[in-house]
Amino acid sequence: MKILDGKVIVCSPGRNFVTLKLQTEDGVYGLGDATLNGRELAVASYLRDHVVPLLIGRDARRIEDIWQYLYKGAYWRRGPVTMTAIAAVDTALWDIKGKMSNAPVYQLLGGASRDSVMVYGHASGRTIDETCEAVERYASLGYKAVRAQSSVPGLQSTYGVGKGDVYEPAEAGLAPDTAWSSERYIESVPPLFARLRKEFGFDLHLLHDVHHRLTPIEAGRLGRALEPHRLFWMEDPTPAENQESFRLIRQHTTTPLAVGEVFNSIHDCRTLIQDQLIDYIRTTVVHAGGISHLRKIAALAELYQVRTGSHGATDLSPVCMAAALHFDVSVHNFGIQEYMRHTDETDRVFPHAYRFADGAMHPGDAPGLGVDIDEALASTFPYVRAYLPTARLLDGTVHSW
Ligand code: EZ4
Ligand code: CO
């Protein structure tokens, strides 16, 4: 079961994706997502120029050994580019192992711990009324959980507010600057959730993403103000390079906290988990070293009653989505999965077995991950340079996006 070849496929069916396709000598191939939003070609080169040559001739069945070889063997350790590349290899090898065993990957991960996994969708609007209408649309589609974001009065654009039906934060061309005011934002969020609770009651789970924009004490204040509205979680309240800063937020609010979509290693969340400073860990397959490493994070989190809530925005390809669902359905301490629908073009390039019904998803029972890539179709959507926007305070100071 030797690896014969590795191909890096870059395409842009609605947005950019990098996909690794590992081919074995037995004719079985596996796919891994390697998309790092806004820095895609760095991972494509890392794989093509540095990783694939190391893989040829290796035994595709030795997933853990190859993981350790790429991690420790590179000397440099961690970092988003390295860990996204390792994730792609790991994911592709699990896909191959599933196909070889004629079993869906979740069966190789201990089998299903649940029948399906609860997902949350993204509702947003320029006004509270518009956001209410968007939440209503998700509720009528059967969603049990919805993330709600609304524009901040007086600011032209706010993170998380989509332009159309599919929310896509990256923009083609150079990254635009957007204006930000934490003071105005903090005032605008509690009225949004007061209104949503009035309209929808407490049966619907409501989530909110702060996107790393507050200081710990500001986040503590917002979390406390949101307590009457019983959020499922407040996401990324402050940047987490300093894991200790969550202790300050924790001292001030019982609103559940989620963080980790930009983490790439278990070391990024060890204190957060062990000191029970968070409730949900948002690390994903594609950015945190693949299915193998994510399972180690989940196992650590399980000891401390921290549940998983993996990132699942549109820049995580259907290959990552499929892998995430195999992980979600199998780990005991699953909490929720983010699910932003992809464009029709994306879904056509990546046909998949996973399905949505009644606010929940299932990875399907096709052997492996149950996702494929139509390479001929992919080649009709060439790469388009695109970046996430950046945020500046009203006086021009760069702020966290
Ligand atoms: O900004 O996926 O919870 N979801 C998010 C996303 C992220 C993008 C980054 O690439 O915060 O919109
Ligand atoms: Co987020």
Side-chain angles (χ1 to χ4, degrees), residues 106 109 114 116-119 285 310 318-331 334 337-339 353-356 360-364 369:
Y106 76 85
L109 304 177
R114 55 195 54 77
S116 61
V117 304
M118 178 167 67
V119 296
V285 169
S310 287
V319 178
C320 177
M321 193 64 205
L325 292 170
H326 287 277
F327 165 83
D328 295 338
V329 87
S330 62
V331 290
F334 165 78
Q337 169 69 50
E338 182 178 24
Y339 173 49
Y354 61 75
R355 53 182 191 267
F356 170 92
M361 291 180 79
H362 191 279
L369 294 173

Side-chain angles (χ1 to χ4, degrees), residues 333-359:
N333 54 327
F334 165 78
I336 199 166
Q337 169 69 50
E338 182 178 24
Y339 173 49
M340 284 168 79
R341 277 167 303 133
H342 287 109
T343 61
D344 291 340
E345 295 101 304
T346 300
D347 284 338
R348 277 191 284 121
V349 168
F350 296 96
H352 49 258
Y354 61 75
R355 53 182 191 267
F356 170 92
D358 295 329

